[in-house]
Amino acid sequence: MAHNEPDTATRHLARRVKEVRTRRGLTAQQLAEALQEQGVFWQRTTVVKLENGTRENVTFNEVLALAYVLGVAPVHLMVDPDSVEPYPVTEQVSAPASAVRSWVRGFKPLDDTDPRTFYTEVPAVEFGKREDHPDRYDWVTDVARYLSRSMGRMYKRDDGSAVLEVELPRKESHGEPGEAAER
């Protein structure tokens, strides 16, 4: 990998694959064979090209298969858990590795992302689960505070869960009582 080339997410992934593969005692050939058993038809040379930086693209299916075969969560291949360096999210955007890890896990938006948009895709069963990760509580609290200031009130239940009561504006009915208004 040339040192004067820009750092990319793929290069981070390549370094992590090599680190984890080596730690697991696997050769590039053994990793390729394990990937083939999972339907990803890599050769030893494909692994070597990824690790030395001459293969610049990896599909999402390949990332998932690499993580599965190496026995780690995809986030641990994508973003080094020990890194303090900025992580290149795109060619124009980088963020602290810890922030990127929280973002990839769906816990917190990156700084320049609108939290109202980000949190709309959080499944209801995951929203507010504090025990999953400490960052999760922070963002839930942040969103709830934001919403409660503008639209309602927030309180905690005896079990420690948070409740946000939101009062939405009522639509005026233009018909008889009990009749649905035409649109």
Side-chain angles (χ1 to χ4, degrees):
M1 197 174 325
H3 292 287
N4 57 353
E5 294 181 28
D7 208 8
T8 65
T10 304
R11 290 203 173 106
H12 279 263
L13 175 78
R15 283 192 294 271
R16 290 293 298 148
V17 166
K18 186 172 186 173
E19 288 171 9
V20 176
R21 177 185 63 76
T22 303
R23 195 174 299 125
R24 301 281 190 267
L26 296 173
T27 64
Q29 179 65 39
Q30 290 170 322
L31 178 56
E33 289 170 1
L35 287 166
Q36 289 172 14
E37 290 174 9
Q38 299 305 316
V40 176
F41 298 100
W42 280 21
Q43 303 297 318
R44 181 193 64 79
T45 55
T46 311
V47 174
V48 171
K49 286 178 180 180
L50 174 67
E51 292 179 355
N52 72 20
T54 57
R55 186 171 201 256
E56 189 54 41
N57 294 304
V58 182
T59 69
F60 191 64
N61 290 343
E62 291 168 337
V63 172
L64 294 177
L66 283 162
Y68 178 78
V69 166
L70 291 170
V72 300
V75 67
H76 302 314
L77 283 185
M78 293 163 47
V79 186
D80 185 345
D82 300 321
S83 179
V84 294
E85 299 296 318
Y87 184 90
V89 176
T90 70
E91 288 185 19
Q92 290 76 30
V93 175
S94 64
S98 60
V100 174
R101 289 175 64 78
S102 288
W103 173 66
V104 168
R105 288 178 166 144
F107 294 165
K108 285 185 171 183
L110 291 176
D111 285 343
D112 58 347
T113 303
D114 183 345
R116 294 169 296 180
T117 303
F118 181 83
Y119 294 122
T120 61
E121 298 304 316
V122 177
V125 297
E126 291 181 12
F127 203 86
K129 286 191 175 179
R130 179 180 175 170
E131 68 277 1
D132 292 351
H133 193 278
D135 283 348
R136 178 159 304 213
Y137 180 72
D138 292 342
W139 69 255
V140 170
T141 302
D142 291 346
V143 169
R145 282 188 188 128
Y146 172 83
L147 292 173
S148 67
R149 279 194 302 262
S150 60
M151 300 184 335
R153 71 181 191 97
M154 181 179 76
Y155 62 91
K156 284 191 178 182
R157 292 184 179 149
D158 291 337
D159 66 2
S161 63
V163 174
L164 175 63
E165 288 182 346
V166 177
E167 187 171 320
L168 300 174
R170 295 176 190 251
K171 284 187 174 181
E172 288 187 33
S173 175
H174 296 292
E176 295 295 317
E179 244 181 62
E182 289 184 35
R183 293 182 187 205

